[in-house]
């Protein structure tokens, strides 16, 4: 999928209200995370072996409180609290990752963010807000309105060959299901590209593709809250995304591949074996 179409007037009205609310929610949660960096007290392991702290949970409470107060009819899907249905079904679903990169946060590695995306069902990605608490970088995008970092427009790179590309990927916590394929894909793409990085935050990887710092990204086993905001930004920055097999991506799909568009077919071929 490439650049999103212009929203209709009703959707534009919803987005005009939604963007500042999502920004306020992300910045408030980010300020809390920043204050707790290096000071969390409770660490637990989820069934899928990912980590969670009291900081993740409280950050999500802050975001949900803000979103719910302004959008009582919207659904909200949060990583820590699951699905919260609105009072009246209206087709909008917020996808919230209150702390993307929890493992980095726990280990003191300063690469994590708050990610808030909005979907108009089915699978129309219409808004993204990603806030990096330590740097203060704020990324925003709405359908048909472009993508921005700190209010300055961002676009994908112009790298035209996979061999010249700097890429990023991630490995799923579901190692039994994905690890062998991930290692094989990593080795194959690493041989054909300039280099591959693994940062530990899918949301930030996606915005770095949107900003032209990475030329592409791929990963299996992500959840919607990891992707909706970042994919919205890639579309609005002029990039392209799909499933890893190159077919159209829909919410709930098992894999995602995102790029500047110019290297997309090469990247899909390199990951297929």
């Amino acid at each position: 999928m490439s650049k999103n179409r212009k929203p209709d007037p009703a959707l534009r009205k919803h987005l005009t209200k939604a963007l500042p609310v999502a920004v306020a929610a992300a910045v408030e949660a980010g300020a809390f995370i920043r204050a707790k960096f290096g000071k969390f007290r409770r660490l637990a392991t989820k069934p899928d072996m990912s980590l969670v702290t009291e900081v993740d949970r409280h950050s999500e409470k802050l975001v949900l409180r803000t979103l719910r107060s302004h959008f009582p009819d919207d659904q909200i899907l949060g990583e820590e609290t699951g699905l919260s249905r609105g009072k009246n079904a209206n087709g909008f679903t917020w996808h919230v990752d209150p702390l993307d990169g929890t493992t980095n946060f726990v280990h003191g590695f300063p690469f994590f963010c708050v990610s808030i995306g909005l979907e108009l069902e089915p699978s129309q990605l219409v808004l993204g807000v990603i806030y990096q608490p330590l740097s203060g970088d704020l990324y925003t995008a709405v359908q048909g309105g472009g993508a921005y970092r700190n209010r300055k427009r961002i676009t994908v790179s112009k790298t035209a060959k996979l061999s010249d590309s700097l890429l990023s990927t991630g490995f799923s916590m579901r190692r039994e299901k994905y690890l062998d394929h991930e290692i094989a894909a990593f080795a194959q793409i690493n041989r054909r590209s300039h280099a591959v990085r693994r940062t530990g935050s899918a949301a930030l990887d996606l915005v770095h593709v949107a900003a032209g710092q990475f030329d592409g990204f791929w990963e299996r086993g992500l959840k919607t809250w990891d992707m909706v905001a970042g994919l919205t930004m890639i579309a609005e920055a002029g990039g392209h995304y799909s499933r890893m097999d190159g077919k159209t991506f829909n919410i709930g799909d098992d894999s995602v591949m995102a790029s500047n568009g110019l290297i997309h077919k090469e990247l899909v071929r390199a990951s297929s074996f």
Side-chain angles (χ1 to χ4, degrees):
M1 185 175 293
S2 55
K3 187 173 176 61
N4 286 330
R5 60 186 179 273
K6 292 285 185 181
D8 61 40
L11 174 56
R12 188 179 298 115
K13 182 178 180 180
H14 196 87
L15 295 179
T16 299
K17 178 182 177 182
L19 181 60
V21 171
V23 167
V27 171
E28 181 185 19
F32 171 75
I33 292 168
R34 183 170 59 247
K36 292 294 184 179
F37 186 46
K39 301 175 184 177
F40 70 92
R41 295 181 178 181
R42 294 185 295 279
L43 176 64
T45 303
K46 298 180 187 179
D48 66 358
M49 302 307 293
S50 62
L51 300 179
V52 63
T53 71
E54 79 279 7
V55 180
D56 300 70
R57 295 190 173 105
H58 188 69
S59 174
E60 183 158 306
K61 287 180 181 178
L62 293 174
V63 173
L64 267 59
R65 181 182 66 188
T66 298
L67 295 181
R68 182 56 71 211
S69 67
H70 288 86
F71 299 100
D73 293 332
D74 293 5
Q75 288 194 134
I76 304 175
L77 180 60
E79 179 177 9
E80 308 306 334
T81 55
L83 184 65
S84 169
R85 299 191 182 278
K87 291 182 178 179
N88 298 291
N90 64 2
F92 287 102
T93 301
W94 294 89
H95 299 261
V96 177
D97 193 332
L99 178 48
D100 187 59
T102 299
T103 299
N104 291 346
F105 176 83
V106 166
H107 288 275
F109 180 59
F111 201 78
F112 46 82
C113 67
V114 181
S115 179
I116 303 172
L118 181 61
E119 172 201 6
L120 177 58
E121 298 172 350
S123 295
Q124 187 181 165
L125 310 186
V126 297
L127 178 149
V129 171
I130 292 176
Y131 181 62
Q132 198 167 3
L134 297 187
S135 68
D137 284 325
L138 175 67
Y139 298 85
T140 60
V142 296
Q143 187 185 78
Y148 296 82
R149 177 178 59 212
N150 302 330
R151 299 185 179 182
K152 294 182 179 180
R153 190 135 189 185
I154 57 175
T155 60
V156 296
S157 73
K158 299 185 183 301
T159 305
K161 296 181 180 179
L162 184 61
S163 58
D164 296 329
S165 297
L166 178 63
L167 308 169
S168 183
T169 190
F171 293 165
S172 172
M173 296 303 298
R174 290 181 277 176
R175 296 186 179 95
E176 301 246 335
K177 183 175 182 180
Y178 294 111
L179 187 59
D180 288 345
H181 187 280
E182 288 170 337
I183 294 295
F186 181 92
Q188 186 155 273
I189 295 172
N190 191 54
R191 290 189 192 101
R192 299 187 187 186
S193 66
H194 183 70
V196 179
R197 301 287 183 255
R198 181 173 183 254
T199 69
S201 170
L204 286 177
D205 285 338
L206 290 169
V207 295
H208 287 305
V209 174
Q213 294 155 325
F214 289 140
D215 303 299
F217 168 80
W218 80 97
E219 189 167 349
R220 292 182 180 274
L222 291 173
K223 301 295 186 181
T224 62
W225 48 75
D226 299 309
M227 297 183 284
V228 170
L231 292 179
T232 304
M233 292 180 198
I234 285 173
E236 291 302 320
H240 185 78
Y241 62 86
S242 69
R243 297 186 336 192
M244 281 184 63
D245 60 8
K247 295 181 180 179
T248 299
F249 174 87
N250 291 295
I251 293 295
D253 281 344
D254 187 58
S255 69
V256 68
M257 181 169 284
S259 77
N260 63 5
L262 300 174
I263 66 165
H264 204 85
K265 290 182 179 179
E266 256 197 294
L267 189 55
V268 168
R269 287 196 297 270
S271 68
S272 303
F273 48 89

